[in-house]
Amino acid sequence: MSSVNPSTHSAAILTIGNELLNGDVVNTNASWLGQTLRGFGVPCETVLTITDRKERIIRALEELWVDHDLVIISGGLGPTRDDVTKLALLDFFNDTLVRDTAVLEHVSQYFLQRGRAVSEVNRAQADVPARATVLFNDLGTAPGLLFEQEGRLLAAMPGVPYELHHITEKRLIPELEKRWKKSERRVLQRYYRTTGIGESDLSDRVLTELEHRIPPDVDIAFLPHPQGVDIRITQVNGRSGDAFLQFVEWISDTAGDFIYSEDYRQSLAARIVELLGDGNQTLALAESCSGGYLADALTDVPGSSRCFAGGVVAYSNDVKVRQLGVDPGILEAHGAVSAPVALAMAKGAAITLGTDFGISTTGVAGPSGGTPVKPVGTVWIGFWAADGAHFACRFHFTTERLVNKERSFAAAMDLLRRHVTGVPGFPYHPEVVRGTGTPFRDPD
Amino acid sequence: MSSVNPSTHSAAILTIGNELLNGDVVNTNASWLGQTLRGFGVPCETVLTITDRKERIIRALEELWVDHDLVIISGGLGPTRDDVTKLALLDFFNDTLVRDTAVLEHVSQYFLQRGRAVSEVNRAQADVPARATVLFNDLGTAPGLLFEQEGRLLAAMPGVPYELHHITEKRLIPELEKRWKKSERRVLQRYYRTTGIGESDLSDRVLTELEHRIPPDVDIAFLPHPQGVDIRITQVNGRSGDAFLQFVEWISDTAGDFIYSEDYRQSLAARIVELLGDGNQTLALAESCSGGYLADALTDVPGSSRCFAGGVVAYSNDVKVRQLGVDPGILEAHGAVSAPVALAMAKGAAITLGTDFGISTTGVAGPSGGTPVKPVGTVWIGFWAADGAHFACRFHFTTERLVNKERSFAAAMDLLRRHVTGVPGFPYHPEVVRGTGTPFRDPD
């Protein structure tokens, strides 16, 4: 059907606008289109962002059509004079404008319904290149445009995100499906979200074990983010789905209990809320150095009120004593950043709020406040469970305040996850202190 | 000093990584760099994102150096084998690797401090192209690299955002300043950060007043974000600095007390910490629907411990009673989302924690839990001050949980800002309820 080798379908995205170049707007259209294209089975290999000058757009189109058989343009289709994408397309395809009656009717209705007059500038939105297929825009006035030439496709879309999403899903994808068969764009993909292990340790562990068993056409990526590292395994246009499934099984075995979710959209907080909800268990927090980050992240999850009772942000020692019942003598003897205080805070939070679990953080978030013995990045996380577990772990994070808050969150949630799911592994071993006067469930 | 026409300095950004192409990661590095370059006075004109293949990187560099005299590469400098940027640079500049002793010492210390062995893969991070100037990375193991050729500059940076920010600000910008004089990159720019007014209201207010007084070459942008709207006024290569200064003065007068800062990097939280610090005043929080967002945002600011004592995340009614002393009778009579409860929470937080101010949030964050009388997005914010002010305001935000948390933060901080700075304006008027039994400072 297409003159292009079916196994080489690939896409480029061209986004146009100064607001993207100067950072006023983050290019979420590109990432949304990239995800959508991958889901469709045609990987995006280039994203280019340029200014809204006609000559620049034409040159970009010439470059992108060398390597890709689908180019998607976003932006510059509006009615104002800095919207020059349509003019560039006319030049590029040596085409002329015709007025589309369906679009004209839609544009007229659009303004009528909003009680506004239709100007000639607005009517001009219905002028489309004669060769283009109109990708009708139900949500706005600028239609999408699809060009086809020698088996290559070029789609131009408005830059307003919800209009772009709408036209892509309802108009463009169906047009692509008509032209490119499913067998030509097969993508198998699996995600494992891990936490408690660094990027290089995880890739060493996985790749050392499996180096010689990676099927051809399979790509493994290790994607670090503040809460852990995602493993993404992708096979594009692979012959054997079975080999892929066997391989991801091996990956899963190798990464083992570092994996907290197989759903790449599930955050660590969402996984914790799910786990606690499953067990009808409740959690209270006592946050010092994390300053509310843990509570904020947990309450981002809809339905978290079922398992999250609340917490105390104990930024001053006074609050640790008054709200959490921490013994002032312990604070004086060991300092706020210490195992005994972390233990007392975790227990205090759970007892005071009447929950199954209590978790605490106390540390030196930075940038100042560090000492040789307790440098910036030193964080004690305390854990208390109604079933008897009571321990604190020391971590050494970074010199960056915000990173230290994120890492405290990830480590605290991982301690809870490992306890609740009963996994035997415990990667935080060397610096664990048991709670005094309470039964200690050895975390290993 | 440079062979390039001073008035035409322009930059391109090359970001490398499949995670950007397939939408796993939104390209915030590009927008951050775009903002930083504009602030420096060298506009970014192209952003290109490509796969991490050596040949592709080399071709991209060849293309980008035609039009730009500064190219910044982000990503692909890590220690794993899919990090090929350094190899591409060696080919592109026909260069060889040398081991940098300072970087080697830093990398060794980095792992030593974390109690981990230094592998040969890690040591290889200290191998840098012989021609490159090392842009030292205090926060990670991959250094930045700066190349110079015929007046053109190429900087390669790691893709980890906080490392990229650090190296750009501390190493790259000073190197650029040495080479390109300020007069060659004249951009006059002023920011006003506002809160408490919507984008269209603000632009109507400013533009109606000033429409016929905008100098040529001056661009005004209204940039909405969750905490408010920024006004950015830019003049590129303008002749008259005086006209610009006169004009921004008018803008400042028109936007008036909606302006909370003139520093575009100062967050609303940082402004609050500054204001409270100036007055040696302290704050306590009682958060229900915002779930820790306010505390988290305030404690993101270094030095916030001076004015922020802490708070209670009172997600359950039980916590509101036990930790904040809210009368259970009030909860029963009015429900948790009510003015009396907001008033009691704010007062309870301040009294319990012994602070000058107490602020509370209680509302329906969504997505569920709304009723016809109290739909999703209904939020009461309570305010108590030791000087006698005690009131609560009702807001109607959105149906989006995370947006409602952000908006609660912005509104709460704006109430505090207006009180502390004594501004007469108060845009939250129609839905204010005075505290019972305490002197009421009329917010208007």
Side-chain angles (χ1 to χ4, degrees), chain A residues 97-113:
Chain A
L97 289 175
V98 293
R99 189 155 287 195
D100 186 288
T101 50
V103 175
L104 182 62
E105 172 65 19
H106 169 70
V107 170
S108 305
Q109 283 297 321
Y110 185 94
F111 285 94
L112 202 68
Q113 279 168 13

Side-chain angles (χ1 to χ4, degrees), chain B residues 192-396:
Chain B
Y192 293 109
R193 311 206 76 177
T194 74
T195 193
I197 183 168
E199 181 187 0
S200 57
D201 286 348
L202 182 65
S203 68
D204 278 358
R205 190 182 168 124
V206 168
L207 296 179
T208 307
E209 184 91 1
L210 300 175
E211 193 157 22
H212 303 293
R213 292 194 267 175
I214 303 174
D217 294 326
V218 164
D219 175 61
I220 309 175
F222 296 88
L223 310 167
H225 53 89
Q227 298 169 20
V229 180
D230 291 346
I231 311 175
R232 189 191 65 223
I233 312 110
T234 314
Q235 184 183 47
V236 178
N237 293 317
R239 308 264 154 87
S240 165
D242 290 345
F244 180 80
L245 291 176
Q246 169 69 75
F247 182 67
V248 296
E249 196 69 28
W250 288 334
I251 298 249
S252 167
D253 291 346
T254 317
D257 54 36
F258 290 105
I259 297 171
Y260 69 84
S261 181
E262 300 187 9
D263 173 356
Y264 80 101
R265 292 193 195 263
Q266 184 174 48
S267 67
L268 184 52
R271 177 67 181 135
I272 292 296
V273 167
E274 182 181 65
L275 284 172
L276 292 178
D278 288 350
N280 283 312
Q281 290 166 309
T282 55
L283 170 67
L285 297 172
E287 299 187 63
S288 181
C289 65
S290 57
Y293 185 105
L294 277 62
D296 184 38
L298 284 170
T299 59
D300 276 355
V301 182
S304 49
S305 58
R306 193 176 149 206
C307 62
F308 178 57
V312 173
V313 180
Y315 227 49
S316 71
N317 280 348
D318 203 32
V319 178
K320 293 181 181 76
V321 173
R322 283 210 254 176
Q323 297 274 313
L324 294 165
V326 176
D327 179 349
I330 293 181
L331 274 163
E332 204 166 312
H334 303 276
V337 180
S338 64
V341 169
L343 290 164
M345 287 172 67
K347 187 175 177 182
I351 300 290
T352 316
L353 274 66
T355 56
D356 298 303
F357 301 105
I359 292 184
S360 67
T361 66
T362 179
V364 188
S368 59
T371 65
V373 183
K374 296 172 184 176
V376 169
T378 306
V379 174
W380 280 97
I381 295 180
F383 185 91
W384 184 92
D387 68 10
H390 193 201
F391 58 88
C393 298
R394 183 167 60 186
F395 295 84
H396 295 290

